[in-house]
PDB file of all heavy atoms in Angstrom:
ATOM      1  N   MET A  69       0.840   4.326   6.722  1.00 91.00           N
ATOM      2  CA  MET A  69       0.602   4.582   5.295  1.00 91.00           C
ATOM      3  C   MET A  69      -0.616   5.495   5.174  1.00 91.00           C
ATOM      4  O   MET A  69      -1.703   5.156   5.620  1.00 91.00           O
ATOM      5  CB  MET A  69       0.346   3.290   4.551  1.00 91.00           C
ATOM      6  CG  MET A  69       1.537   2.362   4.506  1.00 91.00           C
ATOM      7  SD  MET A  69       2.798   2.936   3.381  1.00 91.00           S
ATOM      8  CE  MET A  69       2.088   2.491   1.815  1.00 91.00           C
ATOM      9  N   ILE A  70      -0.416   6.617   4.531  1.00 91.00           N
ATOM     10  CA  ILE A  70      -1.470   7.629   4.427  1.00 91.00           C
ATOM     11  C   ILE A  70      -1.868   7.797   2.972  1.00 91.00           C
ATOM     12  O   ILE A  70      -1.035   8.121   2.121  1.00 91.00           O
ATOM     13  CB  ILE A  70      -0.974   8.975   4.994  1.00 91.00           C
ATOM     14  CG1 ILE A  70      -0.543   8.800   6.449  1.00 91.00           C
ATOM     15  CG2 ILE A  70      -2.062  10.041   4.880  1.00 91.00           C
ATOM     16  CD1 ILE A  70       0.244   9.977   6.993  1.00 91.00           C
ATOM     17  N   PHE A  71      -3.146   7.587   2.684  1.00 89.00           N
ATOM     18  CA  PHE A  71      -3.649   7.764   1.324  1.00 89.00           C
ATOM     19  C   PHE A  71      -3.638   9.243   0.962  1.00 89.00           C
ATOM     20  O   PHE A  71      -4.096  10.088   1.727  1.00 89.00           O
ATOM     21  CB  PHE A  71      -5.066   7.202   1.239  1.00 89.00           C
ATOM     22  CG  PHE A  71      -5.795   7.575  -0.017  1.00 89.00           C
ATOM     23  CD1 PHE A  71      -5.456   6.999  -1.214  1.00 89.00           C
ATOM     24  CD2 PHE A  71      -6.818   8.518  -0.005  1.00 89.00           C
ATOM     25  CE1 PHE A  71      -6.116   7.332  -2.378  1.00 89.00           C
ATOM     26  CE2 PHE A  71      -7.486   8.863  -1.155  1.00 89.00           C
ATOM     27  CZ  PHE A  71      -7.138   8.269  -2.347  1.00 89.00           C
ATOM     28  N   LEU A  72      -3.110   9.560  -0.225  1.00 93.00           N
ATOM     29  CA  LEU A  72      -3.025  10.953  -0.652  1.00 93.00           C
ATOM     30  C   LEU A  72      -4.011  11.287  -1.757  1.00 93.00           C
ATOM     31  O   LEU A  72      -4.746  12.283  -1.669  1.00 93.00           O
ATOM     32  CB  LEU A  72      -1.614  11.260  -1.154  1.00 93.00           C
ATOM     33  CG  LEU A  72      -0.480  11.236  -0.149  1.00 93.00           C
ATOM     34  CD1 LEU A  72       0.838  11.530  -0.841  1.00 93.00           C
ATOM     35  CD2 LEU A  72      -0.732  12.220   0.986  1.00 93.00           C
ATOM     36  N   ILE A  73      -4.002  10.498  -2.826  1.00 92.00           N
ATOM     37  CA  ILE A  73      -4.729  10.925  -4.017  1.00 92.00           C
ATOM     38  C   ILE A  73      -5.013   9.726  -4.904  1.00 92.00           C
ATOM     39  O   ILE A  73      -4.268   8.740  -4.879  1.00 92.00           O
ATOM     40  CB  ILE A  73      -3.914  12.003  -4.767  1.00 92.00           C
ATOM     41  CG1 ILE A  73      -4.765  12.767  -5.779  1.00 92.00           C
ATOM     42  CG2 ILE A  73      -2.670  11.403  -5.414  1.00 92.00           C
ATOM     43  CD1 ILE A  73      -4.082  14.026  -6.291  1.00 92.00           C
ATOM     44  N   TYR A  74      -6.100   9.826  -5.657  1.00 90.00           N
ATOM     45  CA  TYR A  74      -6.525   8.750  -6.548  1.00 90.00           C
ATOM     46  C   TYR A  74      -6.823   9.312  -7.935  1.00 90.00           C
ATOM     47  O   TYR A  74      -7.374  10.407  -8.070  1.00 90.00           O
ATOM     48  CB  TYR A  74      -7.780   8.083  -5.996  1.00 90.00           C
ATOM     49  CG  TYR A  74      -8.451   7.152  -6.980  1.00 90.00           C
ATOM     50  CD1 TYR A  74      -8.057   5.834  -7.082  1.00 90.00           C
ATOM     51  CD2 TYR A  74      -9.464   7.606  -7.825  1.00 90.00           C
ATOM     52  CE1 TYR A  74      -8.654   4.981  -7.998  1.00 90.00           C
ATOM     53  CE2 TYR A  74     -10.069   6.766  -8.751  1.00 90.00           C
ATOM     54  CZ  TYR A  74      -9.654   5.449  -8.821  1.00 90.00           C
ATOM     55  OH  TYR A  74     -10.241   4.613  -9.730  1.00 90.00           O
ATOM     56  N   GLN A  75      -6.472   8.530  -8.955  1.00 91.00           N
ATOM     57  CA  GLN A  75      -6.797   8.895 -10.343  1.00 91.00           C
ATOM     58  C   GLN A  75      -7.361   7.669 -11.046  1.00 91.00           C
ATOM     59  O   GLN A  75      -6.715   6.617 -11.069  1.00 91.00           O
ATOM     60  CB  GLN A  75      -5.536   9.358 -11.085  1.00 91.00           C
ATOM     61  CG  GLN A  75      -5.739   9.670 -12.552  1.00 91.00           C
ATOM     62  CD  GLN A  75      -6.262  11.074 -12.778  1.00 91.00           C
ATOM     63  OE1 GLN A  75      -5.811  12.027 -12.165  1.00 91.00           O
ATOM     64  NE2 GLN A  75      -7.211  11.217 -13.691  1.00 91.00           N
ATOM     65  N   GLY A  76      -8.548   7.773 -11.590  1.00 88.00           N
ATOM     66  CA  GLY A  76      -9.113   6.702 -12.399  1.00 88.00           C
ATOM     67  C   GLY A  76      -8.649   6.835 -13.842  1.00 88.00           C
ATOM     68  O   GLY A  76      -8.468   7.950 -14.341  1.00 88.00           O
ATOM     69  N   SER A  77      -8.501   5.726 -14.502  1.00 89.00           N
ATOM     70  CA  SER A  77      -7.954   5.756 -15.861  1.00 89.00           C
ATOM     71  C   SER A  77      -8.877   6.467 -16.843  1.00 89.00           C
ATOM     72  O   SER A  77      -8.422   6.964 -17.877  1.00 89.00           O
ATOM     73  CB  SER A  77      -7.660   4.337 -16.348  1.00 89.00           C
ATOM     74  OG  SER A  77      -8.840   3.550 -16.331  1.00 89.00           O
ATOM     75  N   TYR A  78     -10.170   6.523 -16.519  1.00 88.00           N
ATOM     76  CA  TYR A  78     -11.101   7.197 -17.427  1.00 88.00           C
ATOM     77  C   TYR A  78     -11.478   8.597 -16.965  1.00 88.00           C
ATOM     78  O   TYR A  78     -12.322   9.249 -17.572  1.00 88.00           O
ATOM     79  CB  TYR A  78     -12.361   6.350 -17.605  1.00 88.00           C
ATOM     80  CG  TYR A  78     -12.121   5.164 -18.504  1.00 88.00           C
ATOM     81  CD1 TYR A  78     -12.001   3.887 -17.994  1.00 88.00           C
ATOM     82  CD2 TYR A  78     -12.003   5.337 -19.878  1.00 88.00           C
ATOM     83  CE1 TYR A  78     -11.771   2.803 -18.823  1.00 88.00           C
ATOM     84  CE2 TYR A  78     -11.774   4.253 -20.717  1.00 88.00           C
ATOM     85  CZ  TYR A  78     -11.660   2.995 -20.187  1.00 88.00           C
ATOM     86  OH  TYR A  78     -11.424   1.922 -20.999  1.00 88.00           O
ATOM     87  N   ASP A  79     -10.852   9.025 -15.887  1.00 86.00           N
ATOM     88  CA  ASP A  79     -11.108  10.402 -15.430  1.00 86.00           C
ATOM     89  C   ASP A  79     -10.483  11.366 -16.426  1.00 86.00           C
ATOM     90  O   ASP A  79      -9.308  11.229 -16.774  1.00 86.00           O
ATOM     91  CB  ASP A  79     -10.503  10.627 -14.039  1.00 86.00           C
ATOM     92  CG  ASP A  79     -11.217   9.833 -12.969  1.00 86.00           C
ATOM     93  OD1 ASP A  79     -12.371   9.422 -13.214  1.00 86.00           O
ATOM     94  OD2 ASP A  79     -10.627   9.623 -11.894  1.00 86.00           O
ATOM     95  N   GLU A  80     -11.260  12.332 -16.842  1.00 85.00           N
ATOM     96  CA  GLU A  80     -10.765  13.261 -17.859  1.00 85.00           C
ATOM     97  C   GLU A  80      -9.847  14.316 -17.276  1.00 85.00           C
ATOM     98  O   GLU A  80      -8.984  14.860 -17.965  1.00 85.00           O
ATOM     99  CB  GLU A  80     -11.943  13.910 -18.578  1.00 85.00           C
ATOM    100  CG  GLU A  80     -12.732  12.911 -19.414  1.00 85.00           C
ATOM    101  CD  GLU A  80     -13.819  13.580 -20.235  1.00 85.00           C
ATOM    102  OE1 GLU A  80     -14.024  14.797 -20.051  1.00 85.00           O
ATOM    103  OE2 GLU A  80     -14.447  12.893 -21.048  1.00 85.00           O
ATOM    104  N   GLN A  81     -10.066  14.616 -16.011  1.00 90.00           N
ATOM    105  CA  GLN A  81      -9.241  15.650 -15.392  1.00 90.00           C
ATOM    106  C   GLN A  81      -8.243  15.025 -14.428  1.00 90.00           C
ATOM    107  O   GLN A  81      -8.509  13.986 -13.813  1.00 90.00           O
ATOM    108  CB  GLN A  81     -10.124  16.639 -14.629  1.00 90.00           C
ATOM    109  CG  GLN A  81     -11.008  17.480 -15.540  1.00 90.00           C
ATOM    110  CD  GLN A  81     -11.653  18.613 -14.791  1.00 90.00           C
ATOM    111  OE1 GLN A  81     -11.915  18.504 -13.600  1.00 90.00           O
ATOM    112  NE2 GLN A  81     -11.899  19.709 -15.478  1.00 90.00           N
ATOM    113  N   ASN A  82      -7.112  15.681 -14.290  1.00 92.00           N
ATOM    114  CA  ASN A  82      -6.134  15.234 -13.310  1.00 92.00           C
ATOM    115  C   ASN A  82      -6.664  15.460 -11.905  1.00 92.00           C
ATOM    116  O   ASN A  82      -7.269  16.483 -11.604  1.00 92.00           O
ATOM    117  CB  ASN A  82      -4.815  15.995 -13.492  1.00 92.00           C
ATOM    118  CG  ASN A  82      -4.063  15.550 -14.724  1.00 92.00           C
ATOM    119  OD1 ASN A  82      -4.339  14.489 -15.285  1.00 92.00           O
ATOM    120  ND2 ASN A  82      -3.114  16.361 -15.158  1.00 92.00           N
ATOM    121  N   ALA A  83      -6.401  14.484 -11.053  1.00 91.00           N
ATOM    122  CA  ALA A  83      -6.878  14.586  -9.673  1.00 91.00           C
ATOM    123  C   ALA A  83      -6.072  15.622  -8.895  1.00 91.00           C
ATOM    124  O   ALA A  83      -4.872  15.796  -9.116  1.00 91.00           O
ATOM    125  CB  ALA A  83      -6.760  13.226  -8.996  1.00 91.00           C
ATOM    126  N   THR A  84      -6.756  16.296  -8.000  1.00 93.00           N
ATOM    127  CA  THR A  84      -6.079  17.234  -7.095  1.00 93.00           C
ATOM    128  C   THR A  84      -6.659  17.070  -5.704  1.00 93.00           C
ATOM    129  O   THR A  84      -7.859  16.823  -5.532  1.00 93.00           O
ATOM    130  CB  THR A  84      -6.255  18.702  -7.531  1.00 93.00           C
ATOM    131  OG1 THR A  84      -7.650  19.005  -7.541  1.00 93.00           O
ATOM    132  CG2 THR A  84      -5.674  18.947  -8.918  1.00 93.00           C
ATOM    133  N   GLU A  85      -5.798  17.200  -4.709  1.00 92.00           N
ATOM    134  CA  GLU A  85      -6.213  17.159  -3.313  1.00 92.00           C
ATOM    135  C   GLU A  85      -5.320  18.134  -2.556  1.00 92.00           C
ATOM    136  O   GLU A  85      -4.203  17.814  -2.181  1.00 92.00           O
ATOM    137  CB  GLU A  85      -6.040  15.753  -2.716  1.00 92.00           C
ATOM    138  CG  GLU A  85      -6.971  14.685  -3.235  1.00 92.00           C
ATOM    139  CD  GLU A  85      -8.380  14.820  -2.681  1.00 92.00           C
ATOM    140  OE1 GLU A  85      -8.580  15.593  -1.728  1.00 92.00           O
ATOM    141  OE2 GLU A  85      -9.282  14.144  -3.208  1.00 92.00           O
TER     142      GLU A  85
END
Side-chain angles (χ1 to χ4, degrees):
Chain A
M69 294 286 283
I70 302 167
F71 168 73
L72 293 179
I73 196 167
Y74 168 87
Q75 176 84 43
S77 59
Y78 285 105
D79 292 340
E80 293 186 354
Q81 292 191 330
N82 287 343
T84 60
E85 291 285 348

